[in-house]
Amino acid sequence: MIVQKFGGVATRNKEMRELCIHHIKRGIEQHGKVVAVVSAMGRKGEPYSTDSLLSITKSFCTSPEASDLVAACGELISSAVMSAELHAAGITNEIAYGHRTGIFTDSNFTDADLLRVDARKLKELFNEVDCVVVPGYQGVTLDQKFTTLGRGGSDLTAVVLCSVLNGKFVEFYKDVPGVMTEDPKFTKDVKKIDGLNYEQFSDMLKMGSTIIQKKAADFAEVYKIPLHIRSVYNEETGTWIPAKTEA
Ligand SMILES: Nc1ncnc2c1ncn2[C@@H]1O[C@H](COP(=O)(O)OP(=O)(O)O)[C@@H](O)[C@H]1O
Ligand SMILES: N[C@@H](CC(=O)OP(=O)(O)O)C(=O)O
């Protein structure tokens, strides 16, 4: 089993989600089962993105609980869309959300911390289907309120689920070939880095790189979860953390 994470750019429209579905199919063929963690579709200005939902009313800034409930809807919509399109493509799948995902947090709305993760339901679902679709970025409190895990939190969802389900590694599907020497949005002459150790990757994130959420990278380092950051547009190898050693 592996975990694949598809962010807002990878899930933004049907054409992009077809690429995601191709990777999920290949993941199932090569690794048996796939947990597909999805983020809200699109970026600022697109209708179902996290930023668009959070801008419905300025009053969300005075009500963190309501703000988290609306934010969680972005990933719920995305998981419903992805699940339906996977069914249409012939891939058996179930959606795990709310307490079915088993990610329980404290009530620190907008940046909640994990309390415990109960993987029993997810394991049960894998007896029935090849793929479980999980809305990222969210957890539930012990009294069943939705919380979010901080911006970029779907990365944390992916890494945490890989850890509790004993997955082989997490694949992050991006609009870049992997971790580059610098952010290609701002610098032209960049090269893909084939591999980094956890400390080198953490240093890049500390310097401000936004390629994955820092909390997720820290969790991966502590629990030794291998990460593969790669392009959604093709099947080429991206960047492995930790670097693959020569056989
Ligand atoms: N060193 C880096 N290498 C590659 N991409 C980087 C780097 N630093 C920042 N980025 C940015 O990270 C973006 C990919 O992350 P993001 O769009 O947040 O993905 P996701 O939608 O999966 O969360 C790239 O478009 C790129 O601009
Ligand atoms: N949608 C949330 C969570 C997330 O991880 O998104 P993305 O994978 O698109 O960065 C956010 O924008 O913060």
Side-chain angles (χ1 to χ4, degrees):
M1 192 278 291
I2 61 166
V3 178
Q4 298 182 327
K5 185 259 170 170
F6 302 97
V9 174
T11 57
R12 89 172 352 141
N13 56 38
K14 180 89 170 63
E15 211 182 346
M16 293 298 289
R17 290 191 299 275
E18 275 167 12
L19 299 176
C20 302
I21 289 171
H22 169 80
H23 293 299
I24 293 171
K25 256 190 191 152
R26 191 173 37 78
I28 293 167
E29 278 161 21
Q30 292 179 353
H31 303 285
K33 307 272 178 186
V34 167
V35 176
V37 174
V38 296
S39 298
M41 301 183 294
R43 289 275 178 258
K44 203 170 190 162
E46 292 174 84
Y48 309 109
S49 71
T50 304
D51 286 307
S52 299
L53 297 170
L54 289 174
S55 67
I56 292 173
T57 172
K58 286 199 169 75
S59 302
F60 283 136
C61 70
T62 60
S63 179
E65 185 180 331
S67 169
D68 268 9
L69 183 57
V70 82
C73 292
E75 272 67 13
L76 290 169
I77 293 169
S78 183
S79 55
V81 172
M82 185 64 89
S83 170
E85 291 180 353
L86 283 166
H87 273 297
I91 299 175
T92 59
N93 74 90
E94 282 275 345
I95 314 172
Y97 56 92
H99 68 276
R100 279 159 65 91
T101 318
I103 298 181
F104 293 95
T105 73
D106 60 20
S107 323
N108 186 21
F109 294 104
T110 77
D111 193 17
D113 280 319
L114 300 174
L115 287 180
R116 67 182 174 88
V117 184
D118 179 353
R120 276 176 300 181
K121 186 67 194 170
L122 289 173
K123 285 181 183 159
E124 249 176 70
L125 291 173
F126 271 127
N127 292 329
E128 296 157 28
V129 293
D130 290 332
C131 174
V132 178
V133 181
V134 176
Y137 177 49
Q138 56 198 267
V140 286
T141 61
L142 296 175
D143 56 351
Q144 312 273 334
K145 290 178 174 178
F146 279 93
T147 54
T148 64
L149 308 173
R151 295 304 302 265
S154 298
D155 295 333
L156 184 60
T157 309
V159 174
V160 165
L161 292 183
C162 189
S163 168
V164 295
L165 292 166
N166 290 316
K168 293 182 192 163
F169 50 82
V170 182
E171 295 184 328
F172 295 86
Y173 284 94
K174 301 277 177 185
D175 61 350
V176 286
V179 180
M180 314 302 281
T181 43
E182 289 188 60
D183 187 343
K185 264 193 198 114
F186 304 109
T187 312
K188 255 192 169 172
D189 194 15
V190 293
K191 284 202 180 87
K192 188 187 83 188
I193 302 169
D194 291 333
L196 288 165
N197 61 36
Y198 289 114
E199 294 76 19
Q200 290 167 324
F201 189 45
S202 172
D203 285 345
M204 275 185 97
L205 298 174
K206 268 188 218 145
M207 302 284 285
S209 172
T210 52
I211 187 141
I212 79 164
Q213 192 204 36
K214 176 85 173 55
K215 269 209 268 188
D218 290 346
F219 189 97
E221 180 172 1
V222 171
Y223 292 95
K224 302 286 172 261
I225 311 295
L227 312 176
H228 185 193
I229 298 177
R230 58 187 299 180
S231 172
V232 68
Y233 297 110
N234 57 51
E235 294 186 15
E236 277 162 36
T237 303
T239 304
W240 277 97
I241 300 142
K244 289 269 176 202
T245 46
E246 296 291 319

